[in-house]
Amino acid sequence: MTRTTAPTRQARLALTPKTSMAGLLDGAWWPYSRDLATELLPLVEALRDRFGRVTRITANPAAWPVAPYQVPVGGYAVHVGWFTDQPPDTMTLLSYSLGRCDLLVIPPETEPSSAARLMAAASAPGNVHTTGALMSEENTTGRLLREAGAGEDAGETDGGTSRQRRLHPRPVVGARMIYMPQGMRR
């Protein structure tokens, strides 16, 4: 019986452009699942050209149900260090040649619009936000957007006759979330 391997998916990865504006993070990674053995190969291959051969990673075991100490990746093994004091949304990848790569790890169950905002914010040049701050800001932004959408839906059910002033200003989406009052919108 011959064993076939399932085709690997391309890593959902956003990296900071190579600039002189160094930030706290080198980008963001949005895995498809919480199975590190399956998800690590596409990530390592996507980072190879920029960071070299990844030999070690560090992560928090709370985010991964199975915590192996080595993961086979294309003919060699990547050593995994599990640290409970490391933020759960952070992964550090180490290579022989070019040092380290710090990534925000977006939970697989995150909605695509939320993941896109997180990837853009984490890969912005000169980003000074920690992974915890980015996740917290996104939780707040997502809640405000859901509330704004629910308010618009409620206005449509009454025929649109009563125009209520919004309880929350609309966010301007970018590398950082900046809230503008209703009268200042363009």
Side-chain angles (χ1 to χ4, degrees):
M1 178 174 180
T2 59
R3 185 176 163 183
T4 59
T5 58
T8 59
R9 295 184 261 191
Q10 187 174 3
R12 296 183 291 191
L13 180 68
L15 294 174
T16 305
K18 291 182 181 181
T19 67
S20 60
M21 295 176 52
L24 291 178
L25 297 171
D26 296 302
W29 174 48
W30 184 25
Y32 294 95
S33 71
R34 292 194 181 270
D35 181 10
L36 187 63
T38 302
E39 298 292 337
L40 197 57
L41 176 61
L43 176 64
V44 167
E45 288 180 357
L47 293 172
R48 184 165 298 175
D49 290 339
R50 183 160 171 186
F51 292 99
R53 181 178 169 170
V54 174
T55 57
R56 297 183 183 279
I57 68 167
T58 65
N60 186 315
W64 305 96
V66 177
Y69 288 99
Q70 289 187 353
V71 178
V73 200
Y76 70 99
V78 173
H79 298 272
V80 184
W82 299 104
F83 298 95
T84 55
D85 60 337
Q86 182 171 333
D89 301 314
T90 305
M91 181 176 283
T92 301
L93 297 97
L94 305 168
S95 73
Y96 279 134
S97 56
L98 299 174
R100 65 188 276 166
C101 173
D102 294 307
L103 296 176
L104 165 69
V105 179
I106 301 168
E109 58 276 1
T110 304
E111 293 194 19
S113 59
S114 181
R117 286 189 299 270
L118 283 166
M119 291 177 97
S123 63
N127 171 33
V128 294
H129 297 297
T130 63
T131 57
L134 288 171
M135 295 300 282
S136 176
E137 288 173 11
E138 179 54 38
N139 286 338
T140 302
T141 301
R143 182 180 47 78
L144 290 174
L145 289 173
R146 284 188 300 279
E147 288 174 2
E152 288 174 2
D153 292 343
E156 291 174 3
T157 59
D158 67 0
T161 55
S162 64
R163 300 289 284 174
Q164 294 181 5
R165 183 171 172 90
R166 291 188 175 274
L167 297 175
H168 301 289
R170 290 181 181 234
V172 176
V173 179
R176 289 191 314 159
M177 300 307 291
I178 302 170
Y179 294 96
M180 298 177 72
Q182 178 100 9
M184 291 184 65
R185 282 190 283 142
R186 297 180 210 170

